[in-house]
Amino acid sequence: LKALMDDGTSGAITESVTLGTVSVTGVYNKNAYIEDATGGAVIYSKDEAISNLEAGKAYTGIVVSSTTMYNTYLYEITGYSVDDATSEELNALPETELTIAQINEDLKKYQYVRTKLVGVTNAAKAVSSSNKTVELNQGTDKINGYFNYSNVDIKLESVMTVVGYPNYYSGSNQITILSADNVSVTTEGIETTSISISNQQLTAGS
C-alpha cells in the first residue's frame, strides 16, 4: 500500500493495481480508511457514500484504478473495485500510537494510518458542533484536530486521548476523528461562557 501511495506522490497511477490484504479501519460517508503493514490510504467515492466496504474487515484483492491529488499534497484513491475481492472479519482494528512530533516530521509515512495520540490538549479553544476544528497540543508540538461527528462538546484545556487519521487540509497537518468513541477525556477542562450585551445605549453618570 505504501508503494502505491509513494508512486502517487509523483503522479497519479496510470494502470490498475491489485492490492494484497488491507484492513478497513473506518468508513465515513464517502471515505474509507485502509491500511496494511506498510502504510495507510483513503478511498474517496466521488458520487455516493461508500457501501461496499465495512470497517473491521480485511479485504484481499481490491483493484485500484485511479488516484487523485487532494489539497496539493497527499493522494487519495478515487477509483476502485471490490468485485473480485474476498473479505474476513478482523479480530481488532489496528491502532498505532504516535506523537504529534512524529506525524509532523513525516506525514507521508503516517498518512491515513489509524493513529492514537495520548495526552493532547485543546489549549486555545473548546470543541463544539460549531467549532469542530481546533489546535491540539502535545508539549510544544501542534496539529489541527478535526472532530468530524455530531454533538461534539469538549471543554477548553481538556487533556485527552484521541484516535484518528493523520492527513493534510488547507495548508496544515490534521488528524481527523470520526466519532465520540475515539475520544477519551482524561482531565476535563474549564467551562467557558459567553456574555451577551444588550443593544442598549449607556450614558455616563446615569
Side-chain angles (χ1 to χ4, degrees), residues 16-48:
S16 295
V17 176
T18 300
L19 301 180
T21 301
V22 297
S23 300
V24 179
T25 63
V27 177
Y28 181 85
N29 198 4
K30 295 183 177 183
N31 297 286
Y33 299 89
I34 64 174
E35 64 181 87
D36 62 13
T38 67
V42 65
I43 295 174
Y44 173 69
S45 171
K46 297 178 182 179
D47 300 319
E48 57 188 15

Side-chain angles (χ1 to χ4, degrees), residues 120-127 134-139 141-143 154-160 190 192:
V120 298
T121 63
N122 54 323
K125 293 181 180 179
V127 191
V134 302
E135 184 180 272
L136 297 179
N137 310 92
Q138 196 176 49
D141 298 305
K142 304 174 182 179
I143 193 171
I154 302 172
K155 294 178 181 178
L156 176 68
E157 296 182 0
S158 293
V159 181
M160 69 194 92
I190 59 177
T192 55

Side-chain angles (χ1 to χ4, degrees), residues 15 40 55 108 114 116-117 121 129 153 169:
E15 58 185 35
K108 288 185 178 179
R114 188 170 183 268
K116 182 179 183 179
L117 294 177
T121 63
S129 295
D153 183 16
Y169 183 75

Side-chain angles (χ1 to χ4, degrees), residues 67-124:
T67 57
T68 304
M69 181 173 276
Y70 178 68
N71 267 293
T72 72
Y73 188 60
L74 298 180
Y75 274 77
E76 57 189 14
I77 295 168
T78 48
Y80 75 102
S81 170
V82 297
D83 291 347
D84 298 319
T86 60
S87 66
E88 61 181 353
E89 297 286 340
L90 292 170
N91 292 326
L93 290 176
E95 185 175 279
T96 302
E97 184 173 332
L98 298 172
T99 64
I100 292 175
Q102 287 175 296
I103 295 171
N104 288 340
E105 183 178 349
D106 196 352
L107 175 62
K108 288 185 178 179
K109 179 179 180 179
Y110 300 114
Q111 60 177 311
Y112 304 119
V113 170
R114 188 170 183 268
T115 295
K116 182 179 183 179
L117 294 177
V118 177
V120 298
T121 63
N122 54 323

Side-chain angles (χ1 to χ4, degrees), residues 51-72:
S51 60
N52 56 1
L53 293 170
E54 294 182 43
K57 285 189 174 182
Y59 291 79
T60 303
I62 295 175
V63 177
V64 176
S65 56
S66 64
T67 57
T68 304
M69 181 173 276
Y70 178 68
N71 267 293
T72 72

